[in-house]
Amino acid sequence: MKKENKLCSLLWNHLYLNNEGYALPCCAAYEHIEEMLKQSKSITEVSSIEELLKLDLFKDIRQTMLDGKEHTFCSSCYDKEEKGIQSYRQESNELFHETYEKIVTGELNLDSAVSYEYVDLRLGNQCNLACRMCPPNSSSNLIKDYQALESQNFSLDFTKNTSWHKDPNFWQELLSRSHEIKKIYLAGGEPLLINETWDFLGELIKRDHAKNITIYYSTNLTTLPEKAAKFWPSFKTVQLSLSIDGFGDVHEYIRHPIAWKKIEANLHKLDKDFLDLNIESAVVYSTIQAYNFDAIPELVQYLNQFTNIDSYPVISLLTAPNQLSIEALPLDIRKRAIAPLKALLFQAKTSEYKSEKWKSNFIHEVLNLISSLSNENFNKDLFEEFKRYTLHFDKTRSQDIFKRIPELKNYF
């Protein structure tokens, strides 16, 4: 196996800070988060970004890749590649192909300084939603729920860490390297609500760096600020990942207290103002879990009406919390979703698609979902936890799981 088949450009050109300001290899390595946090530090614990990027954690992963081996923390990408799904590693190597070639040829090596070509910031937990599958470090609105469900105590350190992006010194240091930036990924919390990001974009425009930078947002689309029309056209382009987990009531059940009418209005506005807002792509990203295991066909049918927003979502299987994954559902319930998904596969294979690459990716993702739904394993302990979580959220939100999945009445 050639070493370039294991390399990832992100270890040489990428700054990633999670919701609590910890420097990590990337967002795709989340399943190893506890192990990585032991080897990392938060931006609140160091004097500079540079100090974070010199951690042994990153050097160890680099060395493993240069040796032509798979690092444990990067297993999610290698696993996807085995299934024919494009991984974050492959996507990044294509996007930053010049950096990747420099690693392959040895121009960039083990000791090369990290560039700021790609900056990925998960901006604390300021969010206007409390999605059932999210942890409190993604939304402060979930703190009370986790205090009740997990008996968790949230310390002053937690509050400090999830507010790391409010430190003006961080943004000033980032601006000092802004001439290197080609892509900025902003997620939260809800990034469109965070004032510091708009101030940062304004500074990039003033410094005449914006024209070289692509902004990528992961947004719940509950808001579309007027500032977008003011700032976004100054950048090279804008890409949007729209977090939508189903059509109508399905989405409202998962992403409380969202109103579908608001999402629908913003989808139509985006589609209409696509070019004026300098949007290159707007793709729905759906997290498949026990609550929406059967929702993708209806969502695709709904998205077909739009001219510019992609009809086929990017779908990923929920890995945490485990009790909300599709594996928590009884076999007879989850298997009823398979036939509609197979029909959707036929539709996807025979229809036009903006990108053959992403068409192929969607097909492989649906095949992976069908495989997971077909899995004969059923964990009763996981199901009991699923019931506990579901009943808690139903009670506190005046919702009803039996309206979403009527067959569960036979199991509760």
Side-chain angles (χ1 to χ4, degrees), residues 155-348:
S155 64
L156 292 176
D157 284 343
F158 176 81
T159 303
K160 175 186 174 183
N161 284 354
T162 52
S163 302
W164 63 265
H165 59 282
K166 296 187 180 297
D167 182 358
N169 293 323
F170 165 78
W171 296 104
Q172 286 302 314
E173 184 179 359
L174 199 55
L175 281 169
S176 72
R177 301 284 293 273
S178 59
H179 59 283
E180 299 177 30
I181 300 175
K182 292 183 181 177
K183 179 179 178 180
I184 301 172
Y185 187 113
L186 299 173
E190 172 46 50
L192 293 176
L193 294 175
I194 296 172
N195 292 329
E196 287 81 3
T197 65
W198 295 108
D199 295 339
F200 179 62
L201 298 187
E203 285 297 320
L204 291 173
I205 294 169
K206 287 180 185 178
R207 295 173 185 233
D208 200 31
H209 293 154
K211 63 186 179 184
N212 302 316
I213 298 173
T214 294
I215 320 172
Y216 190 113
Y217 285 92
S218 177
T219 173
N220 61 32
L221 204 62
T222 53
T223 183
L224 197 55
E226 292 181 4
K227 289 179 181 179
K230 178 183 177 182
F231 288 170
W232 289 358
S234 297
F235 284 81
K236 183 178 180 180
T237 190
V238 176
Q239 299 174 347
L240 300 177
S241 163
L242 311 174
S243 298
I244 299 176
D245 295 321
F247 170 76
D249 292 345
V250 178
H251 193 57
E252 289 183 342
Y253 184 80
I254 295 171
R255 292 184 177 266
H256 184 77
I258 211 164
W260 178 253
K261 288 183 179 179
K262 182 66 173 176
I263 300 303
E264 192 164 37
N266 284 337
L267 283 169
H268 283 284
K269 181 173 176 56
L270 271 185
D271 203 52
K272 179 174 69 72
D273 298 339
F274 209 78
L275 297 179
D276 291 339
L277 289 171
N278 192 28
I279 299 172
E280 180 184 21
S281 65
V283 181
V284 169
Y285 277 64
S286 298
T287 302
I288 306 303
Q289 55 201 280
Y291 300 128
N292 68 343
F293 72 103
D294 57 349
I296 293 301
E298 185 182 24
L299 179 60
V300 169
Q301 184 179 11
Y302 172 77
L303 293 173
N304 275 329
Q305 67 182 289
F306 297 104
T307 302
N308 297 301
I309 297 169
D310 276 289
S311 300
Y312 293 95
V314 173
I315 59 177
S316 59
L317 300 180
L318 181 77
T319 55
N322 290 336
Q323 59 268 25
L324 301 187
S325 68
I326 58 176
E327 284 78 13
L329 287 175
L331 298 174
D332 60 320
I333 293 178
R334 66 171 110 128
K335 283 185 177 181
R336 72 164 166 80
I338 293 175
L341 284 170
K342 287 183 176 179
L344 178 62
L345 266 181
F346 177 79
Q347 174 188 324

Side-chain angles (χ1 to χ4, degrees), residues 10-23:
L10 298 183
L11 272 297
W12 280 264
N13 73 339
H14 175 234
L15 167 67
Y16 171 77
L17 298 183
N18 79 348
N19 300 77
E20 295 181 66
Y22 282 90

